[in-house]
Amino acid sequence: MTDDPVGVAVTRVAREESGRLLALLAARYDDVDLADDCVQEALLKAIGAWRRTGIPDNPTAWIHTVARNAMVDALRRRAADRRRLASAARDLVAADEIGPSSPEPIVDESAVPDERLRLMFLCCHPALDLSAQTALTLRLVGGLTTAEIAAAFGVTEATLAQRIVRAKRKIRQARIPLRVPTDLDDRVAALLGVLYLIFNEGYLASAVDAPVLVRVDLAAEAIRLTETLAMLLPDNGEVAGLLALELFQHSRAAARTDDGGGLVTLDCQDRTRWDTGMIGRAQHHLREAVARPGVGPYRLQALIAGIHARAAGSADTDWGVIVEIYRILERLTPGRFVALNSAIALAMHEGPEAGLAALDRIDGLDTHHLWHAARAEQYDKLDRREESVESFSRALEFVRNPAERRHLERRLEQVRGIEW
């Protein structure tokens, strides 16, 4: 793709601008589905047109004009069809409401942020299930293709396409409005949950056939979308907290795998490979987050990630403070995986026996590889080899990601006394 400047230009507009353009057209003509189709049509037209005439000075304005004209034409055809089928029916869109089909400059940039925010909230409407919210956010706001989203989440393209179609149909049939909701807190929480889910899928690919541990493109897209939300909601501490958390976590990407693509755990990572520039950005957003009133799970998790970022190594990490933050987090948002991470931190602070006891108090994780792996590590530290082997073997029954599987296989053989 780097040898094809037109392809690079179209991809950039699709990634960075298509959601904004879609939001503008959807808000103007009150049809999200048609706006999406017209933006995609304009992007396809750009590939051929720009190869013939060259990339325009303002590619985004070119896409906007072509998409807007396509939408105007489609609405006029729809209105004409309705008039022919039922002359007594009210026209869908009157011609004088649409305006001329001749090219016009892209609309005022100052109108963009509110429209993008409305589109984000539309994608995360509570009437849609979580899988639909995630797919729509990536498809409509993020500009990813259906094939890219399907590959990222380990489903077929046809399955993902149907999911998006059903979600759009639900929006259309229920006449869900493109607007910022009155109950902002609940919808922001839903949107943050979707963005966190997208980031986590990039941070640790869950698909059985995922070729890598990290989907850098998906993690980067989640960060970009969270940055957009942070600009639109600058006073929201949880938005800033999630952005800080994502940046802290993603700063370790280069150190999380070895040259062969194998998993490198946090305590064994070469911290000189961590991205210090990204850590600096994360610290900036964390300061903004804690300066806002209130407390929330993303800010707390970002605080924990910040402690790891400041430590020279695992032995230098302030595990006592991390344990206390996890205790607050467990009270605020109790859950099995919060308890799992809390138990691992406790093991680092008070020793493997305390950690093992905390792990054994967690219910409902006996079919998750991370719980078995954590128990196996504590057994190994206590020189309880048979129990460690059994727990690593159980973890291998449930692990999905191939890089994690190779890591667990390596640890199992090491516990058995077989050198790798």
Side-chain angles (χ1 to χ4, degrees):
M1 184 64 99
T2 54
D3 296 330
D4 179 9
V6 169
V8 170
V10 172
T11 299
R12 187 198 65 78
V13 175
R15 286 281 193 274
E16 300 176 10
E17 303 291 347
S18 65
R20 180 169 67 91
L21 298 179
L22 191 159
L24 289 168
L25 293 171
R28 182 173 182 182
Y29 299 121
D30 194 27
D31 193 324
V32 172
D33 201 6
L34 181 59
D36 183 29
D37 290 342
C38 291
V39 170
Q40 298 309 310
E41 179 184 335
L43 289 166
L44 288 174
K45 286 182 177 179
I47 296 173
W50 295 358
R51 283 182 177 144
R52 290 192 304 272
T53 62
I55 300 170
D57 292 337
N58 190 337
T60 303
W62 192 99
I63 296 293
H64 173 265
T65 298
V66 172
R68 184 191 62 81
N69 290 343
M71 198 161 183
V72 167
D73 291 342
L75 289 171
R76 282 177 170 160
R77 286 194 301 271
R78 188 182 295 176
D81 288 343
R82 289 195 174 193
R83 284 195 298 270
R84 282 194 296 268
L85 292 171
S87 59
R90 180 181 178 182
D91 292 344
L92 174 65
V93 179
D96 61 348
E97 291 176 345
I98 296 176
S101 59
S102 58
E104 65 178 30
I106 193 165
V107 297
D108 182 7
E109 295 284 342
S110 64
V112 171
D114 286 342
E115 304 307 334
R116 176 70 72 88
L117 184 60
R118 289 170 187 158
L119 185 58
M120 283 184 165
F121 283 127
L122 178 72
C123 291
C124 292
H125 194 280
L128 305 174
D129 62 34
L130 182 60
S131 63
Q133 292 176 0
T134 306
L136 280 181
T137 301
L138 285 173
R139 178 69 184 77
L140 302 186
V141 186
L144 272 67
T145 66
T146 302
E148 288 172 326
I149 303 168
F153 287 94
V155 299
T156 66
E157 187 173 349
T159 297
L160 198 284
Q162 281 300 310
R163 192 175 294 170
I164 291 174
V165 167
R166 285 195 297 269
K168 287 181 178 179
R169 185 185 302 128
K170 192 164 192 175
I171 289 171
R172 184 172 60 252
Q173 292 175 346
R175 300 195 62 81
I176 296 173
L178 182 67
R179 69 184 183 208
V180 176
T182 304
D183 190 359
L184 196 62
D185 289 342
D186 286 348
R187 291 286 283 278
V188 170
L191 179 52
L192 290 177
V194 167
L195 293 176
Y196 193 36
L197 176 64
I198 294 169
F199 177 80
N200 279 340
E201 183 60 32
Y203 185 74
L204 179 59
S206 65
V208 175
D209 58 351
V212 294
L213 180 76
V214 182
R215 278 291 308 268
V216 174
D217 55 343
L218 204 56
E221 183 60 27
I223 291 172
R224 189 177 71 82
L225 291 173
T226 309
E227 285 176 329
T228 299
L229 188 62
M231 287 188 292
L232 300 176
L233 300 174
D235 295 326
N236 190 297
E238 280 295 271
V239 175
L242 176 58
L243 180 54
L245 174 61
E246 291 172 343
L247 290 168
F248 276 130
Q249 301 282 53
H250 200 48
S251 70
R252 308 174 197 156
R256 290 184 62 222
T257 55
D258 58 26
D259 293 339
L263 171 67
V264 180
T265 55
L266 179 63
D267 57 319
C268 296
Q269 288 176 15
D270 178 0
R271 300 191 179 208
T272 64
R273 300 184 66 194
W274 288 5
D275 187 330
T276 55
M278 193 173 294
I279 290 173
R281 289 166 57 198
Q283 290 169 334
H284 166 75
H285 291 294
L286 180 57
R287 286 192 294 270
E288 290 191 334
V290 297
R292 304 288 182 262
V295 66
Y298 298 112
R299 274 175 280 194
L300 292 172
Q301 292 178 75
L303 283 169
I304 293 170
I307 292 171
H308 286 300
R310 289 193 299 272
S314 182
D316 304 301
T317 304
D318 195 338
W319 290 105
V321 173
I322 290 177
V323 167
E324 290 303 317
I325 295 174
Y326 268 122
R327 285 173 178 160
I328 298 171
L329 192 57
E330 285 187 272
R331 290 196 297 271
L332 188 64
T333 55
R336 294 172 296 173
F337 290 101
V338 174
L340 174 63
N341 289 324
S342 178
I344 294 170
L346 184 66
M348 297 299 296
H349 181 51
E350 296 186 8
E353 289 185 353
L356 193 58
L359 287 166
D360 288 343
R361 288 194 293 269
I362 304 172
D363 294 323
L365 284 180
D366 56 329
T367 60
H368 200 286
H369 70 285
L370 290 177
W371 182 72
H372 289 288
R375 294 177 80 244
E377 294 292 356
Q378 307 318 312
Y379 283 132
D380 183 40
K381 291 175 182 177
L382 292 169
D383 291 325
R384 294 162 64 174
R385 180 175 297 182
E386 289 185 7
E387 290 154 302
S388 182
V389 166
E390 181 183 355
S391 292
F392 274 127
S393 299
R394 289 283 286 159
L396 283 165
E397 294 178 21
F398 304 110
V399 69
R400 290 171 55 85
N401 183 278
E404 285 189 292
R405 174 173 293 279
R406 290 193 297 272
H407 170 73
L408 290 173
E409 289 171 342
R410 181 171 63 249
R411 288 292 295 122
L412 176 58
E413 295 306 300
Q414 287 172 344
V415 170
R416 284 174 171 164
I418 302 173
E419 293 296 330
W420 275 60

